[in-house]
């Protein structure tokens, strides 16, 4: 697919429901009592994998609409043994390992080629400490989970900042004896904790750790999912880069553990405004407006990385166009995402004419406030890299050809159409 340069982006849009919260709504809904009614479900390749996974395990999920589900929960220990295909979805595989650790029986988890290269021992290790038997294939999928009806709570210190690992341990803790605590090196997204609290679980939150008590039952009822800030980010980046742009994205999730990208944009000098702040359950929502203005360089450090981890490729693109030297550090986790995002971004942006050098844990970028030439980028099967290519194309002189653009459907099937609806050429 070829993305041609834009003259401007103007208008108002809303993006689909948050992917992280959508996965959690289905997994927790499956473990719930009775019906869970999910509104503004962010349907995508990844979240469909989660629906298919719980259906395989005998859970009835009604597709009321594209963005609306009713999940008929089977209770906290009601999932029968089986084989689950997790597709490309790392969040699904990691979280479901935690869910299955506390069920009785043998489960096999498989994934596509990319997911089968991603680290899974980071989840297996704490779950073994809790009493589950887990086998990985050289640290990767396929993974076998031998659940145990007799898990015990642990206090686990995360060796890396990962909401997926934290969530897996907490989900296993629902069916454990005694409390389960996860200590984090730096705070990561807390959607699991918030949803468990809403479901009636006793959750104690401290700045660097979270403890849950085992649950008797989950009562979710209605879940309203806010728009995904990670899906809003490419739109915000495009408007920040294309002169004369002025866009507003409505009903975006503004959970402070997800808004690192907005903070970075502000530090770069972007014109951002947030309106209409309100809450959906325990999550925060608002409308985000951005107007083009010239950007300055920025530094991003490890403490901030979890707050914008999926947006870092876009930060690199912004920095390429921002006057001065930018540095992103402490982002080594990007090397184990759907592809090695540090190298994918460096190779792609350099080929467009940008001054980017990769570091083991991020990038150094010498930014120049001018359009890049453009060219061709291989998405490498990674939805975030395809979206990066699209934004780079809009802000370029000659456009960008994206190889494997279809992969955007992993998180946002309507991405290109919605983006085009804002573009003036
Ligand atoms: C996610 C956590 C992050 C993020 C991923 C979704 C989640 O991964 O990159 O897209 O839903 O918990 P890590 O926990 O591995 O950092």
């Amino acid at each position: 697919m070829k993305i041609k340069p834009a003259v401007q982006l103007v208008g108002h849009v809303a993006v689909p429901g948050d992917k992280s919260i959508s996965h959690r709504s289905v997994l927790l809904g499956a473990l719930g009592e009775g019906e869970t009614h999910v509104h503004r479900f962010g349907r995508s390749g990844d979240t469909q994998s989660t629906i298919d996974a719980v259906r395989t395990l005998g859970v009835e999920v009604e597709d009321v609409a594209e963005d609306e589900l009713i999940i008929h929960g089977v209770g906290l220990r009601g999932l029968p043994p089986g084989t689950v295909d997790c597709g490309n979805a790392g969040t699904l595989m990691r979280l479901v390992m935690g869910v299955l650790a506390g069920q009785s029986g043998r489960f096999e988890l498989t994934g596509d080629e990319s997911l089968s290269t991603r680290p899974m021992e980071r989840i297996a290790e704490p779950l073994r400490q809790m009493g589950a038997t887990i086998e990985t294939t050289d640290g990767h999928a396929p993974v076998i989970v031998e659940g145990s009806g007799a898990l015990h709570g642990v206090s686990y210190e995360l060796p890396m900042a990962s909401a997926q690992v934290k969530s897996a341990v907490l989900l296993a803790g629902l069916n454990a004896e005694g409390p389960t605590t996860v200590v984090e090196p730096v705070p990561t997204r807390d959607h699991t904790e918030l949803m468990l609290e809403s479901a009636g679980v006793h959750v104690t939150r401290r700045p660097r750790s979270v403890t849950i008590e085992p649950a008797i039952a989950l009562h979710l009822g209605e879940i309203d999912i806010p728009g995904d800030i990670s899906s809003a980010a490419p739109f915000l980046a495009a408007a920040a880069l294309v002169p004369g742009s002025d866009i507003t994205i409505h009903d975006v999730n503004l959970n402070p553990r997800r808004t690192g990208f907005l903070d970075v944009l502000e530090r770069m000098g972007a014109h951002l405004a947030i309106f209409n702040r309100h809450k959906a359950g325990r999550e925060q929502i608002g409308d985000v407006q951005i107007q083009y203005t010239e950007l300055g360089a920025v530094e991003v450090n490890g403490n901030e990385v979890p707050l914008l981890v999926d947006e870092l490729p876009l930060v690199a693109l912004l920095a390429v166009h921002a006057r001065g030297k930018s540095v992103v550090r402490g982002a080594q986790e990007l090397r184990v995402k759907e592809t090695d995002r540090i190298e994918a971004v460096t190779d792609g942006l350099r080929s467009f004419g940008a001054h980017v050098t990769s570091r083991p844990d991020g990038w150094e970028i010498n930014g120049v406030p001018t359009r890049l030439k453009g060219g061709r980028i291989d998405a490498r099967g990674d939805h975030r890299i395809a979206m990066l290519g699209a934004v780079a194309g809009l802000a370029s002189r000659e456009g960008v050809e994206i190889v494997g653009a279809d992969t955007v459907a992993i998180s946002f099937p309507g991405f290109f159409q919605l983006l085009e609806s804002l573009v003036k050429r």
Side-chain angles (χ1 to χ4, degrees), residues 18-24 46 90-92 94-95 118-119 122-123 158 160-167 188-192 230 258 305-306 308-311 333-334 336-338 341 383-384:
D18 184 85
K19 179 157 84 80
S20 287
I21 303 175
S22 295
H23 281 302
R24 286 157 174 80
D46 264 8
T91 304
L92 167 59
R94 272 110 176 217
L95 268 57
R118 299 182 64 189
R122 53 176 63 189
I123 311 287
L158 290 179
M160 75 291 291
S162 167
Q164 295 181 350
V165 184
K166 171 176 67 175
S167 299
T188 65
R189 66 189 68 188
D190 58 0
H191 307 304
T192 303
S230 298
R258 292 290 298 281
V305 161
L308 75 167
V309 62
D310 295 329
E311 290 70 75
E333 278 293 306
L334 294 187
V336 290
K337 296 294 178 190
E338 284 82 333
R341 287 184 180 160
H383 52 130
R384 306 272 177 224

Side-chain angles (χ1 to χ4, degrees), residues 256 259-268 272 298 304 307:
T259 48
F261 187 65
L262 302 184
D263 299 337
V264 165
L265 274 168
E266 275 189 334
R267 293 215 295 280
M268 297 180 89
L272 272 181
V298 74
E304 204 176 2
L307 312 180

Side-chain angles (χ1 to χ4, degrees), residues 103-124:
Q103 310 290 316
S104 300
R106 188 175 194 273
F107 299 87
E108 179 169 1
L109 306 176
T110 61
D112 72 4
E113 205 182 314
S114 150
L115 183 52
S116 302
T117 66
R118 299 182 64 189
M120 293 299 151
E121 273 299 319
R122 53 176 63 189
I123 311 287

